[in-house]
Amino acid sequence: MEKLFFPITNEEDYVYVEELPSETLYSHWKEKGLTPGNPYQLGGLIGDVTLIEWGKRHIWEEGELQIDPIQLEMARYLNSKVTQLDFRKHHSPLPAKVITSEEHLFAEMEEAKLPVVLKSEFGLAGRNHIIFKTPSDSWKMSQVQKRLFGFPVVCEDWVGESRFFDFSTLWDVKEGEFFYLTSTSMWIDPEGGFRGIRIGGGENEYQPLFLPFVYDLVKNLNNLIPKEYSGPCAIDGFLYTENGSTKVQPVSEFNFRYSIGRILWEVRKKRKTKVETVSGLLVLPYPKQGKLDEWGILEKLEKELNSDLILLTPVRDLSDKAYQNAVLYFETTVENETTVVETIWSTWNEPN
């Protein structure tokens, strides 16, 4: 995922990566009208730089990235789901609490009204959570150390069965003040895993419903967000039904960093995409069977769907070992969106 910065950079930029992108992928970005920066590994870059990273943790000193303890502590504070329970207080209709130990967990699960979900204090893109739907799921408690990295964890009511729309609102934060950019909709699988995100095609039909709730939430953050923080923020939330009415969960988590939705927004800006055009990012798992010919599949799909497709991350490393996921960008019309997404997904996952 580190290579996701390349598609939004300019030719004069340097992009620090642990592994260089392949010449094929680098040429692909240029052929699609992007202006990827120079891949850079440690050594050889001297002078002052303007540092942009996923989440602010480093400073640039004497030609090297160095952890800044102050920024690291602020990043941990802002992105902790435990801390965020204070941010979302009085704005979340779903009960949530902090569980601090294994003994505390066993006691809570004996009393809990299922279903509930346990979330790690720090986690990404719908990963690092465990859902308990029935008492027979009690065996999953043994997974806490491995999947949630230990305690503390957050326990929240789970409404996956009635959850029908996931969104993310994108913001710039400057000196503690929030500036709205746009809202996106997300594709989430039944177990809460992230599959992709989309923007465009006109105003979303649900936006008038959820956006006022998110604005109310943001107004109450002034004294909780350090004035020293400036950078991106994504606020994820969802809609669900309860007793026949629609409920708004304005925030399930805050991401004070570059999110995949922010990357999509930046790519659209880079490509000067029209408002009426739908664009999205799909997180595509490497198929379980067979070897994937990604370039052949992209060529086939572009012709079949008459759609612009850009592979934003490599499918495999330079030693030809496949990554678990790849990120694909697409552009299409509102009318063709469903067909494009479903065709990409099925073709990618059944390449043979």
Side-chain angles (χ1 to χ4, degrees), residues 6 14-18 20 38-45 60 63:
F6 277 103
Y14 289 86
V15 183
Y16 171 73
V17 288
E18 293 185 3
L20 299 173
N38 304 286
Y40 162 73
Q41 291 178 298
L42 283 179
L45 187 60
W60 185 261

Side-chain angles (χ1 to χ4, degrees), residues 91-283:
H91 292 277
S92 173
L94 297 175
K97 63 178 65 175
V98 178
I99 295 178
T100 57
S101 67
E102 190 171 54
E103 294 77 16
H104 188 184
L105 174 62
F106 277 100
E108 285 292 339
M109 294 306 289
E110 284 184 359
E111 302 293 330
K113 182 180 178 182
L114 302 179
V116 298
V117 57
L118 297 185
K119 299 179 180 179
S120 63
E121 183 177 10
F122 302 101
L124 295 174
R127 305 174 206 160
N128 313 120
H129 67 259
I130 302 173
I131 301 167
F132 294 83
K133 294 182 180 180
T134 67
S136 63
D137 286 335
S138 59
W139 64 270
K140 295 180 181 179
M141 285 192 280
S142 63
Q143 298 182 324
V144 169
Q145 291 293 340
K146 181 178 180 181
R147 291 182 57 187
L148 307 186
F149 319 124
F151 297 92
V153 299
V154 171
C155 179
E156 183 176 274
D157 281 13
W158 172 254
V159 291
E161 303 299 325
S162 60
R163 178 171 167 170
F164 67 91
F165 180 77
D166 287 80
F167 61 85
S168 181
T169 56
L170 305 181
W171 307 77
D172 269 335
V173 184
K174 297 176 182 177
E175 298 180 351
E177 188 173 353
F178 285 70
F179 298 90
Y180 176 72
L181 298 177
T182 192
S183 63
T184 70
S185 53
M186 299 188 288
W187 292 292
I188 306 294
D189 68 28
E191 295 302 307
F194 179 82
R195 286 190 170 185
I197 195 163
R198 51 93 70 197
I199 297 176
E203 182 178 297
N204 184 280
E205 61 177 311
Y206 296 116
Q207 185 172 303
L209 181 60
F210 66 75
L211 201 52
F213 285 90
V214 184
Y215 265 103
D216 285 344
L217 166 74
V218 165
K219 288 177 185 175
N220 289 344
L221 293 177
N222 284 340
N223 297 323
L224 295 170
I225 306 305
K227 300 296 182 184
E228 293 81 7
Y229 179 77
S230 290
C233 178
I235 304 176
D236 300 342
F238 55 86
L239 306 181
Y240 65 100
T241 57
E242 183 178 86
N243 298 324
S245 62
T246 297
K247 298 289 186 179
V248 179
Q249 169 69 310
V251 54
S252 54
E253 68 175 322
F254 296 81
N255 297 292
F256 287 91
R257 56 176 176 80
Y258 272 81
S259 62
I260 197 165
R262 181 58 180 258
I263 293 293
L264 173 57
W265 187 82
E266 297 282 359
V267 171
R268 277 179 65 91
K269 187 169 66 171
K270 190 85 171 174
R271 288 176 57 81
K272 299 180 173 61
T273 306
K274 295 179 180 178
V275 174
E276 63 270 20
T277 298
V278 174
S279 57
L281 298 182
L282 295 175
V283 179

Side-chain angles (χ1 to χ4, degrees), residues 10-48:
N10 298 313
E11 292 175 333
E12 65 271 17
D13 296 332
Y14 289 86
V15 183
Y16 171 73
V17 288
E18 293 185 3
E19 181 185 75
L20 299 173
S22 69
E23 286 296 331
T24 304
L25 183 60
Y26 201 77
S27 298
H28 171 67
W29 292 329
K30 289 187 172 182
E31 289 167 4
K32 291 297 183 178
L34 302 175
T35 56
N38 304 286
Y40 162 73
Q41 291 178 298
L42 283 179
L45 187 60
I46 300 174
D48 295 332

Side-chain angles (χ1 to χ4, degrees), residues 271 273 277-280 306-309 329-333 340:
R271 288 176 57 81
T273 306
T277 298
V278 174
S279 57
N306 190 29
S307 174
D308 266 332
L309 303 178
Y329 172 86
F330 71 85
E331 288 180 358
T332 188
T333 62
V340 167

